[in-house]
Amino acid sequence: MILTTSVDWGPNGTIHPELSTLFPDVKVIRRPGVINAWRWPEFREAVNNTEEKSS
């Protein structure tokens, strides 16, 4: 599971509490205003790491 937000300290708000409850050990990748998550290196890295683990 990959959780990400964009400007969660601003108008978009924080990640839904239900997601935090369901996935308490998942680090939320916070993007400072980058709308396209794929453009954020930390998000791409998380996706690529997930692909490496699946078989």
Side-chain angles (χ1 to χ4, degrees), residues 1 3 6-7 9-10 12-13 15 19 22-24 26-27 29 32-35 37-38 48-49 51-55:
M1 176 60 59
L3 300 175
S6 178
V7 191
W9 59 89
N12 294 337
I15 198 153
L19 290 172
L22 285 171
F23 305 102
V26 175
K27 177 187 172 204
I29 298 170
V34 177
I35 300 301
W38 194 249
N48 290 334
N49 288 341
E51 291 174 354
E52 291 172 8
K53 293 177 185 176
S54 64
S55 324

Side-chain angles (χ1 to χ4, degrees), residues 1-9 13-21 23-32 40 42-43 46:
M1 176 60 59
I2 299 171
L3 300 175
T4 185
T5 63
S6 178
V7 191
D8 62 358
W9 59 89
T14 59
I15 198 153
H16 290 281
E18 295 85 358
L19 290 172
S20 296
T21 299
F23 305 102
D25 298 326
V26 175
K27 177 187 172 204
V28 177
I29 298 170
R30 299 176 74 196
R31 301 182 329 272
W40 194 245
E42 188 177 355
F43 177 80

